[in-house]
Amino acid sequence: MTDMIIEKARKEGRTMLTEIEAKQLLESAGISVVDTRLATSKEQAVAIAKEIGLPVVMKIASADVVHKSDAGGVKLGLKTAAQVGKAYDDIMKSIKAAFPNAKIEGVSVQTMARPGVEVIIGMSKDAQFGPVLMFGLGGVLVEILKDVAFRIVPLVKRDAKEMIREIKGFPLLQGYRGSEPVDVDNLESMLLKVSEFVDKTPAIKELDLNPIFAYKDGAVAVDARVILENA
Ligand code: ADP
Ligand code: MG
């Protein structure tokens, strides 16, 4: 599965995977992702939405669009077939305006995940240390405060435990003002699975699960980005 997806991208001369491809890789590595399927027409989008159950999220499916929401390529909380149909057209229109030369695969239709605490797992390669994993809390905490922890791949259990606990935002994961604590054990095992996956897949240059929704029972990645090494 992993090899097939990587080979397909390489044949097409791209190092960026689509979100759908990235999620397929992760899923095959045992990492929890939301059900995400490709629609290549409005009718198909509606059929998929009915199959996976409304409400759904729809996003542009293109390896040429890295920041999907910036370009009007993400629609959340679509509750009816009419909304799904309209979202398909709106997404296509926005992307064609913003990126006239983008190769568009279609639109992904995904389960709308229930809200959780947003966290991020990332992998990048250091010239000295090779693959390094990053963990942080989503949104402004990562973007502005850079509240993140790093460990060199492969991680051992203790690394995963420590990196979650050393971020300043850790209390947010333990529950605050009556909110429920999240399942930290599950995040640890997710970190270990990502570590194992990137360790055995050297073709991956960069990986971003941003965001992952963490719950009191489990966690699920709702967006994924994978960049390959040059062949
Ligand atoms: P971008 O390419 O802009 O990073 P994302 O796929 O991360 O696009 O979507 C933007 C935001 O929409 C996410 O940060 C998340 O809050 C929300 N989101 C995306 N996918 C889902 C989903 N399947 N269920 C619920 N919320 C989602
Ligand atoms: Mg994202």
Side-chain angles (χ1 to χ4, degrees):
M1 179 61 149
T2 304
D3 294 346
M4 262 172 54
I5 290 169
I6 292 173
E7 203 171 302
K8 177 172 186 285
R10 291 214 156 128
K11 266 198 191 121
E12 293 172 8
R14 43 187 179 99
T15 53
M16 174 84 183
L17 298 187
T18 66
E19 179 191 356
I20 299 173
E21 291 169 332
K23 283 177 170 172
Q24 283 169 345
L25 291 189
L26 293 161
E27 193 169 24
S28 71
I31 296 153
S32 167
V33 299
V34 290
D35 191 350
T36 302
R37 305 189 198 176
L38 179 68
T40 54
S41 71
K42 211 162 136 165
E43 294 68 33
Q44 198 185 5
V46 171
I48 294 171
K50 285 181 177 161
E51 211 176 299
I52 67 179
L54 295 153
V56 294
V57 171
M58 288 167 68
K59 302 180 196 171
I60 189 65
S62 168
D64 296 327
V65 182
V66 181
H67 300 292
K68 300 175 293 293
S69 30
D70 293 354
V74 177
K75 304 280 178 198
L76 304 173
L78 306 166
K79 294 187 200 71
T80 64
Q83 286 177 2
V84 168
K86 183 173 184 305
Y88 190 93
D89 291 339
D90 289 348
I91 289 172
M92 284 297 182
K93 206 172 142 196
S94 305
I95 299 302
K96 282 179 179 155
F99 299 99
N101 299 320
K103 179 173 180 259
I104 297 172
E105 311 279 338
V107 169
S108 74
V109 181
Q110 352 192 321
T111 304
M112 172 91 184
R114 65 188 207 273
V117 180
E118 292 197 13
V119 304
I120 296 175
I121 296 175
M123 185 280 286
S124 56
K125 286 182 174 168
D126 181 86
Q128 300 269 343
F129 302 114
V132 173
L133 275 206
M134 186 209 80
F135 175 79
L137 290 174
V140 291
L141 290 166
V142 161
E143 281 160 29
I144 299 169
L145 302 176
K146 311 275 184 247
D147 181 21
V148 292
F150 293 94
R151 286 293 183 285
I152 298 167
V153 171
L155 268 65
V156 296
K157 242 185 174 151
R158 208 178 79 193
D159 294 321
K161 261 194 175 352
E162 285 173 359
M163 68 193 294
I164 293 173
R165 283 162 182 80
E166 76 189 35
I167 59 169
K168 294 191 192 71
F170 180 61
L172 294 172
L173 299 176
Q174 293 177 296
Y176 58 103
R177 303 211 173 166
S179 77
E180 303 208 64
V182 314
D183 186 348
V184 173
D185 287 355
N186 187 276
L187 290 178
E188 285 171 23
S189 90
M190 210 166 187
L191 277 165
L192 291 169
K193 281 180 191 163
V194 174
S195 166
E196 196 185 324
F197 171 60
V198 298
D199 196 32
K200 68 166 197 237
T201 319
I204 297 178
K205 185 181 181 196
E206 261 176 62
L207 176 147
D208 256 303
L209 308 187
N210 181 5
I212 295 161
F213 287 2
Y215 303 117
K216 72 172 198 302
D217 52 346
V220 65
V222 305
D223 186 25
R225 193 163 62 90
V226 167
I227 299 172
L228 301 176
E229 298 281 5
N230 288 311

